[in-house]
Amino acid sequence: MNIGSIVIRSLRQHALSTFVTAASVALAGGLLMSVWVVKQQSQATFTGINGGFDAVLGARGAKLQLVLNAIFNLETSPGNLAWQDFLDIQKNPNVELAVPIAVGDNYRGFRLVGTTLDLFQKHEYAPGKKFILESGGNLFDEGRREAVVGDFVARKMKFKVGDTFHPFHGLIFDEKNQHAETYVVVGILKPSNTPADRVIWIPLAGIQHMSGHDPNAATDVSAVLVKLKAGSAISGFQMDMMYNKQGNRLTFAWPIGRVIAELFDKIGWFDRVLTLIAYLVALVAAGSILASIYNSMNERRREFAILRALGARRATVFSTIVLEAAAISALGMAVGFAVYAMLMIGVGEIIRAQTGVVLDPFAFNPVMLWAPAMFIGLGALAGIVPALKAYRTDVAENLTPHS
């Protein structure tokens, strides 16, 4: 009988303890891999998403709040800009495109964003990619109460072209704050896997002149999305100096990726805590392997003594126990990939629902190689203690019949 068959027979004989121990390894492995991948993917995705713009111009305030509000459609607006501020930056010779946006209303929790047709006709949200309408749809007429709906909103609200809705005042849904205006859905965007999928786009004037809004701010905008001309990095620096250092009325958030990176710097402690928890769970799983096999040693002394009597060397017995521990870890990690997939799909759906950002749960990450290797190594290491006990088994004493 070879070592492999001995290990398999032992795993079958102790099926319950094998199952429980492998399950703890699966949970630990799935948690560690998902924490690692979510951390890396979310950071890479968020810092890589800029909507195709280089900067955001807004009212004086925190750059991070301005970017989260204008690009990711999160947070509240730090304030309004005068229409002249938009015209000034639009005429800047280093600016390729400036798109004004206005916020302040929602439909059942989904944000309404007022903008101009330039966002759809002149702009690419990623290199070579423009927002595309589903067949049968059209862009809104800037003089009418019409709306273009993001893919995620359309699916959640079951919108189709021709449907109508009433906006609600504020960024948080409150059915008591319904506006009187009725908007018609004239187009639905194809999925872009960006925050734009969670937005209902309407004409800029729609937000500015919505009933209940301050008529004195009817020409104001919430922010201006800015695309600099190619090779204008120095211009971005100069505009940063002009608005942020020399002025005290507006904020120029540039570059967008660096501003978002500040967010991950601020919540980096949370990632480290989750990673630490995952490693602690891994140690607990290794301890459960040690306890499971060690507790079975007394009932297996005779088995090892017989193996020794049949010619098995001490090293063979030792290797059998270590291999058994490693096998339990390997079984656990095989199931751990299923745990990882379920966690990633669940977390991915939550992130997409809240931000519009899409994570790929099946994208390869090096953690998928080193995490299983680490857990199998930990399992084998945990098997050394019971293996030493089996190694020291006295053949004569354990072959003697007990009356």
Side-chain angles (χ1 to χ4, degrees):
M1 184 177 289
N2 58 39
I3 293 178
S5 58
I6 295 173
V7 169
I8 293 173
R9 187 185 68 175
S10 177
L11 294 177
R12 288 175 178 172
Q13 286 177 341
H14 306 90
L16 180 59
S17 63
T18 298
F19 172 78
V20 173
T21 307
S24 67
V25 174
L27 288 172
L31 178 62
L32 177 63
M33 290 191 293
S34 57
V35 166
W36 201 271
V37 172
V38 167
K39 177 177 66 174
Q40 291 192 344
Q41 275 200 30
S42 59
Q43 185 164 358
T45 304
F46 274 87
T47 55
I49 286 180
N50 56 19
F53 294 98
D54 298 303
V56 180
L57 180 68
R60 197 68 171 180
K63 292 181 181 180
L64 181 58
Q65 180 186 7
L66 182 58
V67 170
L68 288 176
N69 175 67
I71 299 295
F72 291 91
N73 304 301
L74 303 170
E75 277 282 359
T76 57
S77 172
N80 290 340
L81 292 77
W83 184 250
Q84 187 60 47
D85 293 321
F86 161 66
L87 295 178
D88 289 343
I89 198 168
Q90 185 185 44
K91 291 183 291 186
N92 190 299
N94 296 305
V95 172
E96 179 180 319
L97 180 66
V99 178
I101 62 169
V103 299
D105 296 293
N106 78 94
Y107 177 72
R108 300 196 175 277
F110 292 105
R111 188 171 298 203
L112 269 69
V113 177
T115 189
T116 64
L117 290 175
D118 286 350
L119 181 68
F120 306 100
Q121 296 175 337
K122 298 181 180 180
H123 179 63
E124 294 181 348
Y125 67 86
K129 295 182 179 180
K130 286 188 175 182
F131 292 114
I132 300 174
L133 292 167
E134 297 282 3
S135 60
N138 297 293
L139 294 175
F140 54 69
D141 185 321
E142 293 186 327
R144 296 183 177 182
R145 292 172 180 168
E146 297 178 341
V148 172
V149 181
D151 170 73
F152 187 82
V153 182
R155 287 189 290 107
K156 289 295 182 180
M157 295 291 100
K158 295 182 170 50
F159 274 140
K160 58 183 182 296
V161 173
D163 286 348
T164 60
F165 66 92
H166 292 279
F168 294 82
H169 183 66
L171 299 179
I172 298 175
F173 172 61
D174 184 345
E175 60 183 7
K176 298 176 184 177
N177 294 331
Q178 188 179 70
H179 285 295
E181 289 87 345
T182 300
Y183 276 79
V184 180
V185 176
V186 295
I188 295 173
L189 295 176
K190 289 187 175 181
S192 64
N193 293 335
T194 69
D197 291 343
R198 297 183 65 256
V199 172
I200 299 174
W201 304 94
I202 67 173
L204 184 66
I207 293 285
Q208 292 173 325
H209 300 287
M210 192 82 70
S211 61
H213 289 190
D214 184 0
N216 295 322
T219 60
D220 290 353
V221 297
S222 301
V224 181
L225 308 177
V226 180
K227 175 72 175 176
L228 298 175
K229 290 182 178 178
S232 294
I234 299 233
S235 301
F237 177 76
Q238 291 173 342
M239 294 172 75
D240 178 58
M241 291 291 293
M242 179 178 70
Y243 285 111
N244 300 326
K245 304 297 191 299
Q246 299 170 7
N248 58 8
R249 194 172 56 83
L250 302 175
T251 295
F252 188 71
W254 169 88
I256 291 173
R258 188 174 65 194
V259 174
I260 290 298
E262 294 176 6
L263 172 64
F264 288 91
D265 290 339
K266 292 179 179 179
I267 64 172
W269 64 269
F270 184 66
D271 287 333
R272 290 190 290 272
V273 168
L274 286 179
T275 304
L276 177 61
I277 291 173
Y279 281 128
L280 290 175
V281 174
L283 291 177
V284 171
S288 67
I289 294 174
L290 188 156
S292 173
I293 298 178
Y294 191 87
N295 290 337
S296 70
M297 285 297 100
N298 284 336
E299 63 184 75
R300 297 174 67 182
R301 285 179 180 176
R302 186 173 177 82
E303 173 190 339
F304 294 133
I306 292 173
L307 287 175
R308 292 285 315 285
L310 292 175
R313 295 176 298 175
R314 288 180 182 269
T316 301
V317 174
F318 182 90
S319 300
T320 299
I321 301 302
V322 173
L323 183 59
E324 182 178 334
I328 292 174
S329 292
L331 287 172
M333 284 308 300
V335 180
F337 278 98
V339 174
Y340 161 80
M342 289 187 290
L343 287 173
M344 282 297 296
I345 290 173
V347 171
E349 282 299 315
I350 292 172
I351 291 176
R352 184 178 187 187
Q354 296 300 318
T355 67
V357 174
V358 177
L359 302 183
D360 184 0
F362 303 109
F364 173 76
N365 189 290
V367 73
M368 297 177 182
L369 295 179
W370 64 256
M374 182 190 76
F375 273 90
I376 293 172
L378 273 176
L381 195 62
I384 290 178
V385 174
L388 287 173
K389 188 173 183 180
Y391 183 88
R392 298 191 182 103
T393 299
D394 186 284
V395 177
E397 178 184 341
N398 287 284
L399 283 179
T400 302
H402 297 281
S403 56

